[in-house]
């Protein structure tokens, strides 16, 4: 995963959007050894709204300094991550590790089974 993040960091601005507390999310990133890849962490505690609410995604866009059409949300929860991002016209890549069938009405731009597929998926969006 670190190799993939190195490649992505060179080409994209990376951020984490989480419904958890910011200190917990930063600790998780630190323990996983990937904190350096995610200088921006946007949490529901900071914003006052959690995923799938539009305001948390808008806060992430603002922190990144990008427009919705320049961003891609990568997430493993179809409703909270992908559907929430789509409400702001942010493209979504669904990390579907369990190969479950998508619910009607939620349309990710792409679907991947592993993070190893992410760089290739981003190149096609």
């Amino acid at each position: 995963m670190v190799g993939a993040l190195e490649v992505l960091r060179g080409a994209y601005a990376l951020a984490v959007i989480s419904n958890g507390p910011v200190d917990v999310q930063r600790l998780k990133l630190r323990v996983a050894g990937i904190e350096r890849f995610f200088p921006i962490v946007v949490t529901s505690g900071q914003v006052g709204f959690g995923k799938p609410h539009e305001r948390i995604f808008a806060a992430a866009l603002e922190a990144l300094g990008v427009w919705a059409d320049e961003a891609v949300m990568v997430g493993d929860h179809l409703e909270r991550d992908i559907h929430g991002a789509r409400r702001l016209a942010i493209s979504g890549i669904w990390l579907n590790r369990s190969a479950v069938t998508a619910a009607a009405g939620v349309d990710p731009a792409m679907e991947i089974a592993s993070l190893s597929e992410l760089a290739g998926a981003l190149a096609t969006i």
Side-chain angles (χ1 to χ4, degrees):
M1 175 172 27
V2 172
L5 288 172
E6 287 285 359
V7 170
L8 294 174
R9 178 173 64 172
Y12 303 96
L14 304 177
V16 170
I17 302 173
S18 174
N19 285 346
V22 69
D23 56 336
V24 172
Q25 296 312 308
R26 289 213 179 270
L27 177 61
K28 285 181 181 180
L29 294 171
R30 191 174 317 115
V31 168
I34 58 173
E35 182 180 32
R36 68 186 182 277
F37 298 107
F38 299 99
I40 297 170
V41 177
V42 179
T43 68
S44 57
Q46 296 166 306
V47 177
F49 294 89
K51 299 181 290 182
H53 199 282
E54 300 89 21
R55 289 190 189 180
I56 195 165
F57 294 99
L61 293 173
E62 184 177 336
L64 287 164
V66 299
W67 298 102
D69 64 351
E70 300 172 304
V72 176
M73 174 66 187
V74 179
D76 61 359
H77 194 282
L78 195 56
E79 176 62 29
R80 284 191 303 259
D81 298 330
I82 306 308
H83 188 62
R86 297 289 301 146
R87 289 181 182 152
L88 286 180
I90 299 170
S91 292
I93 297 178
W94 182 28
L95 177 58
N96 184 6
R97 291 184 177 112
S98 301
V100 298
T101 302
V106 181
D107 187 26
M110 301 276 309
E111 182 177 329
I112 58 176
S114 166
L115 287 175
S116 64
E117 302 172 52
L118 184 55
L122 287 168
T124 65
I125 291 182

